[in-house]
């Protein structure tokens, strides 16, 4: 009898071992198949809100047509999670209305969200919200696993409407049981858990003891360095998942299998009990009091040597830390120059100080000459573009570090950069001593390059070992938007008031031609409530304010308003019109704006223009007078600012007005750029 019992026990053990080996083999095969599956980017509809998606970081594909105002967006740069994901992508400029792929990252909720009009989308303001997100180009970060299936907060997945499918797999069945279909993500979770019986997971960098970490991280915390979700570290077999019966359950066959612990959220499976404990590593959104787009041009020439190049990199890293890089604050990129310049990373590449410092550490020296002038030209033409992350509103700043002196000329390249609105700063380290000055190609090169020669834009450092002393002064200056004079260009820093003759001699058809001329001039300016603003007055014997400087804050709105201006008809009192424009239009001009008046008339005035014109000149209003057909040339010269040859124009026919648009804009910019730089 004892022999029979032993034989039966042996048979049972043998059967159990066969089933166990078969299950392990099947799991391994399933794992291999899953690894071979191609990553599919999930597609979502325009109406999907970020708050409905649980995943903290993901890549999705947006359809066309998400610019529609019915898809609400809240915020600017950083958006409340109540916003349409794809609508926010269009507003931010990452996508246009044709759709495409984007990278979305969840961040902390904000105390307030400011609405704005951008890229055809009007975002709304919101007092506060519990969660935010930022949108960038769909460039995957190295080491990060992105979900091919999104996890939604409700049982009904919006992704299904967009054509997203989840393939069902069947778990290997045991004779006498009914196979239960499970989703791909569940198979992955179970396989991962089963594997934990034989192999312990590697400790996460966040799983260290509280004695060595000032802030303990919960299980399931996202490790940006590893690109994985960390799992708990176990110190004994009793604590491992699967060893404790309290965390096991049985399938239909009665065999125990492991409940997923610390499941990989990036694969789309999140146990309900873990949702409340998921947390993101806090990432700074940047200092909102220092919103600037910044490029550092670093010297990689052979003369600098390895030691000083390392000091230069450490200085960059310290600047990145001090600035508090982030999407609502400063953004920073780096260009290295030697014989030729090259971009290491642009404004979009790294959006926090930690990642930026890591990238700076990996920069290697290029060698060659020190062609700083060529590097400045490169930055002007290539760096500050929308594709490279230039945001348009914040000032553009380029900080040039040079060891000794450049091996090419910087004056002309810097002038073009300044005229493009780039604030040039120079840090010259270990400049030429007396017996070396004969080798300097361009004497006084720093003052020839910078935006102003008053010392605000330049630093002269006696030794590389003293470079760190410029850190705080530099950070303070690049963040001082009010003093960044080169951000103010001829096209973004004026209040432009058009004074338009609507007298009977003009006629309806010619009046529309005049309005088209005004629209063509307006298109040349960068129009917003903080950049150039546009207003218009129409006059006959009387005067009418069509719209003031504070009425419209976008180019599209200004052009639309001009189309709606109606022809008045009457006499021609140009002197009274100038006086009216000074009182009703330019009296409300901002103190820091250049005041430009562009007057268009087709005849001699019925009243005196000399006193009103002189009043305009004395109040600092730069006046351009454009006469058509029967306008009096001597009257135009009296109205125009001195010298009259640059500010008065005569056209023989209304149909030729368009030809003078480039010349007027060129004269406006030439006058602006001729202002002294001290």
């Amino acid at each position: 009898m004892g022999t029979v019992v032993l034989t039966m026990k042996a048979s049972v053990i043998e059967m159990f071992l066969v089933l166990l080996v078969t299950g392990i083999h099947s799991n391994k095969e399933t794992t291999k198949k899953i690894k071979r599956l191609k990553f599919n980017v999930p597609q979502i509809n325009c109406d999907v809100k970020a708050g409905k998606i649980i995943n903290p970081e993901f890549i999705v594909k947006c359809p066309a047509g998400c610019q529609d105002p019915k898809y609400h967006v809240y915020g600017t740069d950083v958006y409340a999670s109540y916003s349409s994901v794809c609508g926010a992508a269009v507003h931010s400029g990452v996508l246009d209305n044709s759709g495409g792929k984007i990278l979305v990252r969840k961040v902390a909720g904000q105390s307030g969200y400011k609405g704005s009009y951008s890229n055809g989308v009007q975002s709304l303001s919101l007092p506060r919200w519990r969660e935010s997100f930022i949108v960038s180009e769909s460039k995957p970060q190295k080491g990060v696993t992105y979900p091919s299936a999104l996890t939604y907060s409700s049982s009904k997945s919006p992704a299904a409407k967009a054509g997203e499918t989840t393939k069902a797999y069947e778990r290997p069945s045991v004779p006498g049981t009914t196979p239960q279909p499970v989703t791909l993500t569940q198979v992955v979770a179970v396989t991962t858990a089963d594997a934990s019986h034989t192999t312990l997971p590697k400790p996460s960098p966040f799983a260290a003891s509280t004695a060595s970490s000032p802030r303990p991280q919960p299980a399931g915390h996202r490790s940006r360095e590893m690109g994985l979700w960390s799992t708990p570290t176990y110190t004994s077999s009793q604590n491992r998942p699967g060893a404790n019966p309290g965390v096991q359950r049985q399938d239909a066959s009665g065999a125990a299998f492991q409940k997923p612990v610390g499941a990989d959220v990036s694969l789309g499976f999140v146990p309900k009990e873990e949702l409340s404990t998921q947390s993101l590593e806090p990432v700074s959104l940047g200092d909102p009091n220092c919103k600037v787009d910044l490029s550092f041009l670093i010297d990689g020439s052979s003369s600098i040597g390895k030691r000083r190049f390392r000091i230069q990199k450490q200085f960059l890293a310290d600047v990145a830390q001090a600035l508090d890089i982030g999407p609502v604050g400063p953004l920073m990129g780096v260009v290295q120059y030697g014989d030729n310049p090259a971009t290491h990373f642009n404004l979009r590449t790294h959006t926090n100080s930690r990642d930026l410092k890591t990238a700076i550490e990996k920069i290697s020296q290029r060698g060659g000459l020190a062609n700083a002038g060529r590097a400045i030209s490169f930055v002007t033409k290539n760096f500050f573009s929308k594709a490279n992350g230039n945001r348009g509103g914040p000032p553009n700043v380029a900080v040039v570090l040079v060891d000794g002196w450049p091996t090419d000329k910087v004056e002309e390249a810097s002038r073009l950069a300044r005229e493009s609105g780039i604030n040039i700063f120079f840090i010259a380290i270990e400049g030429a001593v007396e017996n070396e000055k004969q080798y300097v190609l361009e004497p006084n090169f720093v003052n020839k390059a910078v935006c102003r020669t008053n010392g605000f834009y330049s630093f002269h450092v006696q030794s590389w070992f003293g470079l760190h002393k410029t850190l705080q002064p530099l950070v303070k200056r690049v963040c001082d938007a009010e003093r960044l004079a080169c951000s103010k260009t001829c096209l973004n820093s004026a209040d432009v008031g058009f004074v338009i003759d609507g007298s009977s001699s003009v006629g309806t058809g010619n009046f529309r031609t005049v309005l088209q001329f005004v629209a063509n001039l307006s298109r040349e300016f960068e129009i917003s409530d903080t950049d150039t603003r546009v207003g218009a007055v129409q006059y006959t014997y009387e005067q009418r304010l069509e719209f003031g400087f504070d009425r419209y804050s976008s180019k599209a709105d200004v052009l639309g308003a001009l189309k709606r201006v109606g022809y008045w008809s009457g006499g021609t009192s140009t002197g009274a019109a100038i006086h009216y424009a000074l009182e009703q239009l330019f009296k409300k001009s901002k103190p820091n704006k250049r005041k430009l008046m562009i007057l268009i008339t087709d005849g001699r005035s019925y009243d005196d223009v000399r006193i009103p014109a002189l009043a305009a000149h004395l109040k600092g209003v730069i006046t351009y007078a454009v006469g058509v057909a029967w306008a009096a040339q001597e009257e135009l010269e009296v109205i125009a600012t001195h010298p009259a040859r640059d500010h008065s124009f005569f056209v023989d026919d209304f149909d030729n007005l368009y030809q003078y648009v480039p010349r007027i804009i060129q004269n406006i910019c030439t006058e602006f750029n001729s202002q002294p730089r001290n």
Side-chain angles (χ1 to χ4, degrees), residues 264-333:
D264 191 339
V265 175
S266 69
L267 293 172
F269 184 93
V270 186
K272 290 182 180 178
E273 61 270 27
E274 289 192 12
L275 292 180
S276 61
T277 62
Q278 300 286 346
S279 66
L280 282 171
E281 179 182 357
V283 176
S284 173
L285 299 177
D287 181 2
N289 297 316
C290 180
K291 196 165 185 178
V292 60
D293 289 342
L294 181 65
S295 172
F296 270 84
L297 285 68
I298 62 172
D299 190 341
S301 61
S302 301
S303 64
I304 192 173
K306 292 182 179 180
R307 185 180 184 185
R308 288 180 288 186
F309 189 76
R310 284 197 299 270
I311 294 173
Q312 187 175 214
K313 290 203 303 180
Q314 184 59 53
F315 177 72
L316 284 191
D318 293 343
V319 169
Q321 184 65 45
L323 281 173
D324 187 11
I325 301 298
V328 301
L331 293 178
M332 176 176 158

Side-chain angles (χ1 to χ4, degrees), residues 188-373:
V188 174
V190 172
T191 304
T192 304
D194 285 342
S196 68
H197 286 281
T198 55
T199 306
L200 283 175
K202 292 181 180 180
S204 161
F206 296 111
S209 67
T210 55
S212 60
S213 175
R215 183 175 57 210
Q217 304 293 346
H221 184 81
R222 182 65 178 269
S223 166
R224 291 182 59 86
E225 284 79 1
M226 300 298 292
L228 299 170
W229 285 83
S230 60
T231 53
T233 302
Y234 303 96
T235 56
S236 68
S237 59
Q238 285 79 12
N239 292 334
R240 296 178 194 160
N244 187 342
V247 295
Q248 291 183 335
R249 60 187 176 92
Q250 293 184 332
D251 63 10
S253 67
F257 68 93
Q258 175 61 39
K259 172 183 174 182
V261 176
D264 191 339
V265 175
S266 69
L267 293 172
F269 184 93
V270 186
K272 290 182 180 178
E273 61 270 27
E274 289 192 12
L275 292 180
S276 61
T277 62
Q278 300 286 346
S279 66
L280 282 171
E281 179 182 357
V283 176
S284 173
L285 299 177
D287 181 2
N289 297 316
C290 180
K291 196 165 185 178
V292 60
D293 289 342
L294 181 65
S295 172
F296 270 84
L297 285 68
I298 62 172
D299 190 341
S301 61
S302 301
S303 64
I304 192 173
K306 292 182 179 180
R307 185 180 184 185
R308 288 180 288 186
F309 189 76
R310 284 197 299 270
I311 294 173
Q312 187 175 214
K313 290 203 303 180
Q314 184 59 53
F315 177 72
L316 284 191
D318 293 343
V319 169
Q321 184 65 45
L323 281 173
D324 187 11
I325 301 298
V328 301
L331 293 178
M332 176 176 158
V334 174
V335 171
Q336 183 183 170
Y337 66 90
D339 290 333
N340 294 295
T343 302
H344 282 286
F345 34 85
N346 61 34
L347 299 168
R348 283 190 188 275
T349 311
H350 303 293
T351 56
N352 61 72
S353 295
R354 182 199 59 206
D355 292 348
L356 187 58
K357 288 168 65 179
T358 302
I360 289 169
E361 180 58 34
K362 296 176 182 177
I363 294 176
S364 57
Q365 187 176 355
R366 293 176 62 84
L369 300 174
N371 290 330

Side-chain angles (χ1 to χ4, degrees), residues 471-532:
L471 174 63
Q472 291 303 326
L474 176 66
V475 168
K476 185 177 180 180
R477 293 181 195 183
V478 300
C479 292
D480 190 352
E482 290 300 316
R483 294 191 65 183
L484 295 178
C486 284
S487 298
K488 299 174 183 177
T489 69
C490 57
L491 301 178
N492 71 4
S493 59
D495 279 343
V496 182
F498 291 97
V499 181
I500 306 166
D501 185 348
S503 61
S504 303
S505 58
V506 175
T508 304
N510 287 334
F511 186 76
R512 306 318 301 179
T513 303
V514 170
L515 290 181
Q516 185 59 54
F517 170 69
V518 171
N520 290 341
L521 284 169
S522 299
R523 282 192 183 93
E524 298 296 322
F525 292 95
E526 298 170 22
I527 298 174
S528 77
D529 55 354
T530 57
D531 295 313
T532 289

